[in-house]
């Protein structure tokens, strides 16, 4: 078993940086079919999260992929599976789940995911045959990749969904599509950022986090950090509310 | 039953101009899986050429695609199936069959095939699970489309091969791919994000920000917010330190 906190070996293929995680899968045959599809397109790291049937390692549909099944990580929840991933993408079909995370079609996201895998680890999550990924699972994802199925028959078989995604990831890159710069629409105003910095600073002061001797440089660091986050105007409002509440609590307690 | 020599009605989708022909398929389940995959991506015309088991119309794996199976054309040989097609393409994997026809990877050929289907009929042939398409079958094809599988495990399951090809044909043309957010290199690991969410949540609990009745949904909202921020690994470390210090202060005060 590899030590997961070690840096990825240079000789490892970018494909080994992808974990395909099947969440609450019900059918060992589907798990076997998923393993085979992974192997067909050169992927090897499979994780099973809370599968309904632990007999998956014997799945007969995994022709040529017995190694993938034997080495599959079995986990009770997502935490262990996602621990060393710096990107988590959930898969969905056109079934019409409300998107809560930045979404994209599979084709649009694949090249970006591939670029990520050339440097760092990522996980691609597939939900159960019956229910797909829950909102709880999707909340762990930075991206949702939608497989563009027909609205009249949106629900893909699990093994086929894995095949399509692995194919799309492994396919020769279309002439180096450059990621468009992210639009900054909807970002917090400078005034909002400023208020957040001040509130956070006051809170950290009260908590004894700020060293008076280096206050000036710490303030700058905090401001840069807040700018880097590129917080949206809505999120900024929420975060301000949180900071206000914590500050109020601290203040009330210290005054007792 | 439509008279196949009639010109295609204008209202028909280009997808109805494609016949997916499974040649000498052995397994009714695979046929059902192929029918479902076709339906998932909006294709409806299936032809079975000399299948080994005529019980395919009952295949249970065809969830949502019973109509495709019921309307499937059953033929003893390729002639009847290909009669009104002006383009015939065979599929192959990287299994190393000597190419005898002009070949192309699936990705390269799909847009050409799509363009053809917008005007005229075409057939896409899939060989048997065991032997693929014979040289005889391939001699009927103007193109061979190769699905780029891994040489170590080249043989795709039939249902998955159909899924991948239908996906590739149906996918939005490559122009203007909508990309999700910028690449996330250097971002916090899932474990870091998770810790941050937990720490923030604990702090907000202590501050009375969290309503116990809506705790679950608030927790989801906070997690989504943290994911949206796309915090870097370094910033995550700093933020965790801040949260820890504030929590320590709150805790110490409340204990006085």
């Amino acid at each position: 078993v590899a030590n997961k906190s070690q840096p990825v070996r240079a000789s490892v293929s970018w494909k080994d940086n992808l974990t395909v995680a099947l969440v609450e899968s019900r059918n060992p045959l589907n798990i076997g079919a998923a393993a085979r599809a992974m192997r067909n397109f050169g992927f090897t790291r499979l994780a099973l999260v809370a599968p309904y049937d632990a007999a998956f390692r014997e799945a007969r549909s995994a022709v040529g992929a017995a190694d993938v099944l034997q080495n599959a990580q079995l986990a009770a929840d997502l935490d262990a599976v996602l621990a060393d991933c710096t990107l988590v993408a959930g898969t969905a079909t056109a079934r019409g789940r409300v998107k809560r995370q930045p979404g994209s079609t599979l084709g649009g996201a694949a090249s970006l995911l591939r670029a990520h895998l050339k440097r760092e680890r990522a996980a691609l999550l597939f939900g159960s045959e019956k229910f797909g990924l829950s909102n709880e699972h999707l909340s762990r994802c930075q991206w949702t990749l939608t497989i563009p199925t027909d609205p009249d028959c949106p629900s893909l078989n699990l093994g086929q969904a894995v095949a399509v995604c692995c194919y799309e990831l492994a396919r020769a890159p279309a002439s180096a599509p450059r990621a468009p710069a992210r639009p900054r629409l909807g970002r917090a105003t400078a005034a909002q950022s400023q208020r957040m910095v001040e509130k956070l600073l006051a809170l950290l002061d009260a908590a004894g986090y700020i060293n008076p001797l280096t206050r000036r440089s710490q303030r700058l660091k905090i401001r840069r950090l807040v700018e880097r986050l590129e917080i949206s105007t809505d999120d900024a409002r929420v975060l301000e509310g949180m900071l206000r509440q914590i500050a109020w609590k601290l203040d009330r307690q210290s005054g007792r």
Side-chain angles (χ1 to χ4, degrees), chain A:
Chain A
V1 178
N3 178 346
K4 291 201 183 152
S5 59
Q6 278 181 350
V8 178
R9 280 167 296 139
S11 65
V12 160
S13 153
W14 63 270
K15 293 181 178 178
D16 294 325
N17 274 342
L18 180 74
T19 296
V20 171
L22 308 184
V23 183
E24 295 173 9
S25 300
R26 288 161 175 266
N27 186 340
L29 291 178
N30 283 341
I31 296 174
R36 176 170 171 188
M38 288 173 61
R39 202 68 195 70
N40 282 145
F41 294 107
F43 297 95
T44 53
R45 285 163 63 101
L46 174 64
L48 280 303
V49 181
Y52 277 53
D53 186 338
F56 66 87
R57 288 191 210 270
E58 281 77 47
R60 283 183 309 141
S61 47
V63 179
D67 53 341
V68 172
L69 281 185
Q70 287 306 319
N71 296 328
Q73 180 185 3
L74 184 57
D77 58 38
L78 275 173
D79 290 332
V81 171
L82 303 184
D84 61 351
C85 294
T86 51
L87 174 64
V88 182
T91 54
T93 60
R95 202 163 2 177
R97 182 180 288 286
V98 179
K99 283 180 212 159
R100 288 159 203 274
Q101 301 296 333
S104 170
T105 58
L106 174 60
S111 60
L112 294 176
L113 184 49
R114 197 160 44 224
H116 184 98
L117 290 168
K118 287 186 177 158
R119 294 164 163 267
E120 298 182 12
R121 287 198 165 149
L124 192 55
L125 310 190
F126 293 83
S128 79
E129 291 90 336
K130 220 163 183 173
F131 304 111
L133 291 170
S134 69
N135 284 336
E136 172 75 20
H137 300 140
L138 285 171
S139 77
R140 304 294 299 266
C141 301
Q142 287 94 37
W143 294 349
T144 310
L145 309 191
T146 303
I147 304 173
T149 48
D150 192 282
D152 286 345
C153 183
S155 175
L156 263 179
N157 162 276
L158 180 58
Q160 290 172 325
V162 172
V164 164
C165 289
C166 289
Y167 163 74
E168 180 62 64
L169 272 177
R171 80 203 299 264
S175 56
R178 264 200 55 227
R182 204 157 71 137
R184 285 186 41 94
L185 298 174
R187 298 291 152 200
T189 63
Q192 277 186 303
S193 296
Q194 184 64 4
R195 278 204 306 274
M196 219 166 357
V197 169
E198 295 306 330
K199 282 205 163 68
L200 183 56
L201 205 65
L203 197 52
L204 292 172
D205 255 335
Y209 182 91
I210 306 281
N211 179 343
L213 294 177
T214 56
R215 195 170 196 284
R216 209 182 136 79
S217 76
Q218 283 187 294
R219 181 201 179 79
L220 263 183
K221 275 183 196 154
I222 290 168
R223 181 175 284 165
R224 286 195 205 109
L225 192 156
V226 168
E227 289 303 338
R228 273 197 299 274
L229 296 179
E230 300 196 346
I231 301 167
S232 75
T233 229
D234 293 340
D235 288 347
R237 218 171 287 135
V238 173
L239 285 167
E240 248 192 275
M242 291 177 180
L243 292 173
R244 194 185 310 118
Q245 177 76 20
I246 296 170
W248 171 86
K249 181 74 177 176
L250 256 185
D251 191 51
R252 209 185 61 146
Q253 281 189 357
S254 71
R256 281 197 303 199

